[in-house]
Amino acid sequence: MKTVNAQAEKLKLARDEFVAQWGALGTQWGINRTMAQIHALLMTAPQPMTTDDVMEELEISRGNAHTNLKELVSWGLIRAVVKKGERREYFEAEKDVWQIFTIVARERKRREIEPALALLAKCAEESSGIETPEGKAFNNQIRALEEFVGFASKMSDRISSMKYGFAVQLASKLLG
Amino acid sequence: MKTVNAQAEKLKLARDEFVAQWGALGTQWGINRTMAQIHALLMTAPQPMTTDDVMEELEISRGNAHTNLKELVSWGLIRAVVKKGERREYFEAEKDVWQIFTIVARERKRREIEPALALLAKCAEESSGIETPEGKAFNNQIRALEEFVGFASKMSDRISSMKYGFAVQLASKLLG
DNA sequence: TTGATTTTTCAGAATTAAATGAAAACCGTG
DNA sequence: CACGGTTTTCATTTAATTCTGAAAAATCAA
C-alpha cells in the first residue's frame, strides 16, 4: 500500500509539472496559458473531467474554465461527453498525436497563413499597375512572398490531410 | 510628372497598408506588432533605413525602434550596414523568401519545439518507473507526444537546411 | 410551472506585455 | 580628452490581455 501511495504521489508531481509547464509553453505558441493547461490536464486525464474538476485542479474561476473549455472544443482538441444519468458535461481530450497535430496545423493555417495570403494578394493587386522602379520592386517582393505563402498553405493542407502512416513513410524518406 | 506623383502616392498607400496589416498579423504569429511592422517596412524598402527613418515612418519612440531593430538583427531577418563616410547604422532586410522562411522556422523551433521536447523528456523520465495503471497511461501519452515532437523537430531541421530548389522539387512531388 | 442545477455572459479587476522618453554610455574626431 | 552625434538602457507609463465572480440565462426533472 505504501508503495502504491508513493507512486501515486510521484505521478501527481510529474503530471502537475507537465500541466504547469505546458501552460507556460502555450504562451510562446500564442495560445493562452489556461487553455494550454486545460489541454495538458485533459490529455493526461484517465477519465473525462467536469468544469468543476478543472476549476479545482487548476485553481481558476468558473468563467475562465468555461471559456477555455469551450475554446478547446471549438478547436476540436477536446470534446464534451455525456455520462448517462448525469446532467453536467464531462470533457475528454483527443489523445492521438497525429490528430492533435493536424488540428493545430489547420487552426494555425486558418489564423496565420490565410490572412497573410489575403493581405499579400490585396497588396499585389493594388500595386500591380505602378510603373515606377520602386513600384515594380515592391510588387515583385510582395508577389514573391505571396507565392511562397501560397505554397506553404498548400503544403500544410496536403500534410494535414494525410493518413499518419503515409506521413511517416514520407518523412522517413526525408530523414533516412 | 502628374502620373509619376499619382503612382508614387498609390505605392505609398499600398506599402503603408502592407506594413500596418503585417504588424497586426505579427501579433497572431507571436511576434510583437512593432517588430513585424519594422520587418515589413524594411522588406519593402528600396534603400537601407536608419533608426530615425523607422521612428518617423512608424511614429514610434527611439527605444521601441531600437529594441525591435536589434531583435530583428538577432533573428537574422535584418542586418546593419555601414555607409562609408556615415557614422550611424543603416538596416536592410533579408529579402529572399526561402531565407526568411528558414530563419523563422529555426527560431520557432528553438523557442517552441525545443523547450517542449525538454519538458516531455523530463516528464517521461520522471514517470518511467511508476507501475500503477494511471502511471503507465501517463507515461505512454507523454512518450507518444515526445516521439512526435522529436520527429517534427528533425523534419524542421531537414527542411530548413535544404536548398530552395530541392525543397521545391520535394514539394512538387507532394503537390503534384 | 416551479425549483434546482448547470452553463453562459460580461463588467470590472488583475496581470502581463509593450512603448515611451530621458538619462547614461559609447564612439569617433579634432 | 572633450565634444557632438549616436546607441543603449531602463524606470515609468500605457495598452492589451486574461481572469474573476456574480448575475442572468438555459436546461431539465418533478
Side-chain angles (χ1 to χ4, degrees):
Chain A
M1 196 56 198
K2 191 97 164 278
T3 316
V4 169
N5 281 344
Q7 295 215 321
E9 185 60 25
K10 213 172 152 191
L11 173 59
K12 181 161 173 28
L13 281 172
R15 185 162 173 232
D16 283 356
E17 169 160 28
F18 175 63
V19 169
Q21 294 285 119
W22 197 256
L25 282 175
T27 319
Q28 299 283 10
W29 285 70
I31 61 182
N32 88 339
R33 204 179 73 246
T34 304
M35 184 172 154
Q37 283 182 340
I38 295 177
H39 186 223
L41 190 65
L42 287 175
M43 272 198 303
T44 57
Q47 303 296 333
M49 298 174 76
T50 64
T51 302
D52 289 76
D53 293 336
V54 171
M55 286 167 62
E56 187 176 347
E57 192 73 41
L58 301 179
E59 300 181 56
I60 58 175
S61 72
R62 181 172 305 283
N64 193 11
H66 175 79
T67 305
N68 285 294
L69 281 165
K70 288 289 132 142
E71 186 69 4
L72 283 163
V73 169
S74 91
W75 279 52
L77 287 170
I78 69 174
R79 57 191 152 261
V81 294
V82 280
K83 285 200 177 181
K84 59 180 175 182
E86 282 257 28
R87 192 158 147 196
R88 60 207 171 138
E89 291 190 303
Y90 284 74
F91 298 93
E92 70 178 7
E94 171 60 59
K95 294 191 178 185
D96 180 82
V97 290
W98 179 250
Q99 278 300 322
I100 294 169
F101 170 77
T102 61
I103 289 167
V104 172
R106 269 190 259 265
E107 189 66 22
R108 282 196 146 190
K109 176 176 176 269
R110 195 176 70 73
R111 307 200 312 168
E112 301 179 356
I113 296 183
E114 280 169 12
L117 208 46
L119 173 65
L120 290 165
K122 184 159 187 288
C123 291
E125 163 64 24
E126 282 174 5
S127 64
S128 65
I130 305 174
E131 295 295 345
T132 60
E134 292 81 13
K136 285 184 175 176
F138 177 80
N139 185 253
N140 283 337
Q141 182 65 23
I142 295 292
R143 284 198 293 106
L145 286 165
E146 185 188 4
E147 186 189 15
F148 187 81
V149 175
F151 157 86
S153 171
K154 284 208 195 77
M155 290 287 277
S156 166
D157 282 345
R158 285 299 168 100
I159 292 168
S160 55
S161 64
M162 281 177 188
K163 288 272 186 298
Y164 180 56
F166 189 69
V168 166
Q169 209 181 337
L170 174 77
S172 67
K173 269 187 201 151
L174 223 73
L175 297 176
Chain B
M1 196 57 197
K2 192 100 162 276
T3 317
V4 170
N5 281 343
Q7 296 215 321
E9 185 59 25
K10 212 172 151 191
L11 173 59
K12 182 164 172 26
L13 281 172
R15 186 164 171 229
D16 283 356
E17 170 160 26
F18 175 63
V19 170
Q21 294 285 116
W22 198 256
L25 282 175
T27 320
Q28 299 283 12
W29 285 70
I31 300 174
N32 88 338
R33 206 180 67 245
T34 303
M35 186 171 153
Q37 283 183 340
I38 296 177
H39 186 224
L41 191 65
L42 288 174
M43 271 199 302
T44 57
Q47 304 296 333
M49 299 173 76
T50 64
T51 302
D52 290 75
D53 293 337
V54 171
M55 286 167 62
E56 189 176 345
E57 192 74 43
L58 301 179
E59 300 180 57
I60 58 175
S61 72
R62 182 172 304 285
N64 193 10
H66 175 80
T67 305
N68 285 292
L69 281 165
K70 287 291 130 142
E71 186 68 4
L72 282 163
V73 169
S74 91
W75 278 51
L77 287 171
I78 68 173
R79 55 190 153 262
V81 295
V82 281
K83 285 200 176 180
K84 60 180 173 181
E86 283 257 29
R87 197 160 145 193
R88 61 208 171 136
E89 288 189 306
Y90 284 74
F91 298 92
E92 68 178 10
E94 171 60 59
K95 295 192 178 185
D96 181 84
V97 290
W98 180 249
Q99 278 299 321
I100 295 169
F101 171 78
T102 59
I103 288 167
V104 172
R106 268 192 260 267
E107 190 66 22
R108 281 197 147 187
K109 175 177 177 267
R110 195 176 70 72
R111 305 200 313 168
E112 301 179 356
I113 297 183
E114 278 168 15
L117 207 46
L119 173 64
L120 290 165
K122 184 159 186 288
C123 291
E125 162 64 24
E126 283 174 6
S127 64
S128 66
I130 305 173
E131 296 293 344
T132 60
E134 291 82 12
K136 284 183 176 178
F138 176 80
N139 185 255
N140 283 339
Q141 181 65 21
I142 295 290
R143 283 196 295 105
L145 286 165
E146 185 189 5
E147 185 189 16
F148 188 82
V149 175
F151 158 85
S153 171
K154 285 208 194 77
M155 289 287 276
S156 164
D157 282 345
R158 284 300 168 100
I159 292 168
S160 54
S161 65
M162 281 178 189
K163 288 274 186 295
Y164 180 55
F166 189 69
V168 166
Q169 209 181 337
L170 173 76
S172 66
K173 267 187 204 152
L174 222 71
L175 298 176

